[in-house]
Amino acid sequence: RFFQRLTRARLLSAAMAGGESATVSTARASSCAFEDREAKRARFALACGPADGGTTNGSSAKGAMDSAIAPDSMKAAGDVEATNGIAEHRRGSSELPARVAALLCRHLDSLQDRREPVVRLASPDTLQKEFREAGATLSLMDGQSAQVHTKGGRQEATGDDALERAVELVLKYQVRTGHPLFFNQLYARADPVSVAADWAVSATNTNSFTFEVSPVYTLMEAECLSKIASVIGGDFAEKHDGLFVPGGSISNLYALHIARHWADPELATRGAAGGPRCVAFTSDQAHYSFLKSARVVGLGSDNMVSVQSDDQGRMLPDALEAAVQRVKDEGGKPFFVGATAGTTVIGAYDPFESIDAVCRRHGLWHHVDGCWGGGAMLSERHRHLMAGAERADSLAWNPHKMSGATLQCSAFITKHVGLLERTNGAKAAYLFQPDKLNASLDIGDKTIQCGRKPDAFKLWLLWKAKGDAGMRETIDHCFALAGFMADLMRSDCSGAWRLVYEPSCMQCV
């Protein structure tokens, strides 16, 4: 009844204001594009009919209804008056997506062409000029550049031809990250299967917080986490909880966040003031996201202790032990250790078994940042690098780095079932009703976010397409490439190369 009233009020307001309003006509025609005329008429009558015995302005409602169910030919005159492609966008045409899809497929097919440059580096002025000449200026304020700080500025609708040219320019000038000669920070070519999954995620445009709005993706995320847990092994295979999150830095943030609540359960209600001085530890080679996370959660950078590493970039367990004891002696509360599987610069794997022994001895949360090197757990040949990671309390892994998933695809997993929801849960009644169907499958209350893309599908489809063997071969191939490059450096007699660190992950430094 409430929605009947709401719809009635909106449609009648538009009808009274403009007779056979183009707004009403367009909205109704778009939503009823695949229904027959009688179904449209019946639904419109339901929406605009009397509520609680009330009456409506019959002539206005009829005019709006006739406009809403009019065939496209009757609305042609109104469409002609629309400017710069407004009509085609209002009709919900799939022509532009189809044209762009063709461009994207050709782009994917061309990525292995070594005759193409990795990047056509152009200046900001050149890019502004190219888009302006294509009929789709980069500016959204009547052609003014972002450097011109003026108020106002109007963006008119742009036609499909100009928009298609804009997409062509994006593909022309963006870095071709799938090129064989693209070597940049810790990611590379996306597998076409994962690209297809990413397109599907965008096309379905849903939000992964409740089962009813994202039923299939919710089940797929659970299956992906179960698969990852089984690959990690240990207690993870028996029980686990987790999420796909927007990037590895956020995975490390989740680890620090829930570990702090695990160590200080009253934090959520009391706040930081009056509580213990909690202190965390990472190696001096750890990713900078740990430092940022310490600031975000209110821990403070002074309470994120940097632990010395050895000459191969691996955290020294004895140095960790000494640092933990020093904090205890000073009256602090050690609670978290962030170890790394594949450090950012050197690619080092920390000695997880020895680190875990320190953690168990002092009652600390052990997190493994495997965002970069965690893929080694998929390989029989290189799995030894992850020995002891199965003992950790939580682990982060980015399939978009070494496994070919599209950006972004990041998994955070913990063996502490329920802690994510206890830490983050707000029990919003409009979303998470405990008595509704499939309420136990809702995952949105575990997250810091509300809106969240179903990134797990990109890994699910990729894993289905490649199988365990294909996923393993991808990792082995990546390590083989690093080994090949290292061998070239060792055998080079020209003096042009000097191998500073033996590669443990994929870096040749």
Side-chain angles (χ1 to χ4, degrees):
R1 185 173 296 173
F2 167 76
F3 286 108
Q4 287 180 13
R5 288 191 190 126
L6 181 62
T7 307
R8 168 179 165 242
R10 287 177 174 171
L11 294 175
L12 285 179
S13 175
M16 292 175 184
E20 296 188 6
S21 165
T23 301
V24 177
S25 173
T26 304
R28 295 298 304 164
S30 176
S31 64
C32 300
F34 299 101
E35 299 176 20
D36 61 57
R37 186 181 181 88
E38 292 306 316
K40 294 177 189 175
R41 186 179 295 277
R43 202 166 95 208
F44 193 96
L46 174 63
C48 294
D52 293 332
T55 60
T56 66
N57 184 325
S59 60
S60 297
K62 184 178 185 302
M65 179 173 67
D66 289 341
S67 176
I69 63 176
D72 287 347
S73 60
M74 295 175 63
K75 303 197 297 295
D79 287 348
V80 170
E81 294 175 3
T83 308
N84 294 328
I86 291 177
E88 57 190 277
H89 300 317
R90 282 185 175 174
R91 284 198 302 269
S93 170
S94 62
E95 181 180 349
L96 180 63
R99 289 157 69 174
V100 170
L103 289 175
L104 295 177
C105 287
R106 289 198 295 272
H107 175 74
L108 286 177
D109 290 340
S110 73
L111 288 177
Q112 294 297 310
D113 188 351
R114 292 171 181 262
R115 295 171 298 181
E116 291 287 336
V118 176
V119 59
R120 294 180 175 89
L121 191 61
S123 69
D125 288 343
T126 298
L127 294 175
Q128 293 278 1
K129 178 176 178 290
E130 289 267 11
F131 277 83
R132 184 167 58 250
E133 292 177 351
T137 61
L138 288 175
S139 170
L140 293 172
M141 297 189 295
D142 197 23
Q144 298 174 0
S145 70
Q147 286 72 36
V148 179
H149 298 286
T150 57
K151 293 183 178 180
R154 182 177 179 180
Q155 174 64 57
E156 300 291 349
T158 305
D160 282 359
D161 290 344
L163 294 176
E164 183 179 8
R165 290 192 294 271
V167 174
E168 289 176 329
L169 289 173
V170 169
L171 298 178
K172 177 180 178 180
Y173 286 110
Q174 269 301 122
V175 178
R176 295 168 66 86
T177 60
H179 195 287
L181 300 179
F182 171 76
F183 300 104
N184 204 268
Q185 283 82 16
L186 310 187
Y187 72 99
R189 179 176 182 262
D191 191 288
V193 172
S194 193
V195 173
D198 214 346
W199 291 353
V201 166
S202 294
T204 51
N205 190 39
T206 195
N207 195 338
S208 284
F209 50 25
T210 61
F211 178 81
E212 62 264 24
V213 78
S214 186
V216 181
Y217 291 141
T218 295
L219 296 180
M220 287 177 169
E221 181 164 358
E223 294 298 338
C224 284
L225 290 169
S226 292
K227 183 66 174 181
I228 295 169
S230 71
V231 172
I232 298 171
D235 289 343
F236 285 92
E238 301 299 323
K239 56 178 182 177
H240 64 271
D241 202 352
L243 290 165
F244 275 71
V245 300
S249 293
I250 304 300
S251 289
N252 291 336
L253 173 63
Y254 267 97
L256 192 66
H257 178 52
I258 67 172
R260 192 176 178 199
H261 284 260
W262 170 77
D264 182 13
E266 296 178 359
L267 176 67
T269 52
R270 183 201 64 237
R277 182 174 73 88
C278 291
V279 181
F281 305 82
T282 59
S283 85
D284 55 14
Q285 298 295 315
H287 192 260
Y288 63 83
S289 60
F290 283 112
L291 180 60
K292 288 191 172 186
S293 296
R295 294 168 178 166
V296 169
V297 303
L299 191 69
S301 56
D302 288 348
N303 295 313
M304 178 59 72
V305 176
S306 179
V307 179
Q308 182 184 356
S309 59
D310 65 15
D311 59 359
Q312 292 298 311
R314 299 167 297 200
M315 185 192 294
L316 289 167
D318 289 345
L320 173 63
E321 175 75 39
V324 170
Q325 190 59 55
R326 184 166 56 252
V327 168
K328 282 187 170 183
D329 294 342
E330 294 171 352
K333 181 180 176 61
F335 79 102
F336 176 92
V337 175
T340 307
T343 57
T344 307
V345 177
I346 301 176
Y349 286 79
D350 286 335
F352 305 122
E353 292 176 335
S354 299
I355 289 173
D356 192 73
V358 176
C359 291
R360 299 303 148 232
R361 189 155 51 246
H362 293 279
L364 312 181
W365 183 285
H366 181 194
H367 172 67
V368 173
D369 172 10
C371 293
W372 172 223
M377 62 187 173
L378 302 175
S379 166
E380 295 176 2
R381 187 176 305 165
H382 302 286
R383 184 178 173 83
H384 67 278
L385 295 168
M386 296 291 290
E390 74 280 358
R391 301 181 184 179
D393 295 281
S394 58
L395 184 142
W397 176 45
N398 287 0
H400 68 238
K401 288 189 171 172
M402 205 186 299
S403 296
T406 53
L407 286 159
Q408 56 200 10
C409 187
S410 304
F412 171 76
I413 189 166
T414 176
K415 61 186 181 185
H416 295 266
V417 177
L419 184 57
L420 278 164
E421 188 166 353
R422 289 198 302 275
T423 302
N424 298 320
K427 303 188 185 304
Y430 75 100
L431 287 175
F432 309 116
Q433 303 90 4
D435 57 345
K436 69 178 179 179
L437 192 64
N438 298 311
S440 63
L441 296 175
D442 290 351
I443 51 182
D445 225 15
K446 298 178 184 180
T447 72
I448 299 171
Q449 306 162 252
C450 182
R452 192 173 63 98
K453 292 188 70 174
D455 290 327
F457 182 53
K458 294 178 279 190
L459 177 61
W460 185 91
L461 199 67
L462 180 65
W463 213 315
K464 279 290 184 181
K466 301 177 78 168
D468 291 350
M471 296 292 286
R472 178 176 63 250
E473 288 167 5
T474 296
I475 300 299
D476 288 343
H477 180 66
C478 289
F479 275 89
L481 289 175
F484 175 77
M485 189 65 190
D487 287 341
L488 284 180
M489 291 180 179
R490 292 190 197 95
S491 61
D492 179 71
C493 300
S494 68
W497 299 97
R498 182 167 67 93
L499 191 62
V500 180
Y501 294 97
E502 287 293 327
S504 53
C505 188
M506 282 183 58
Q507 290 95 321
C508 290
V509 184

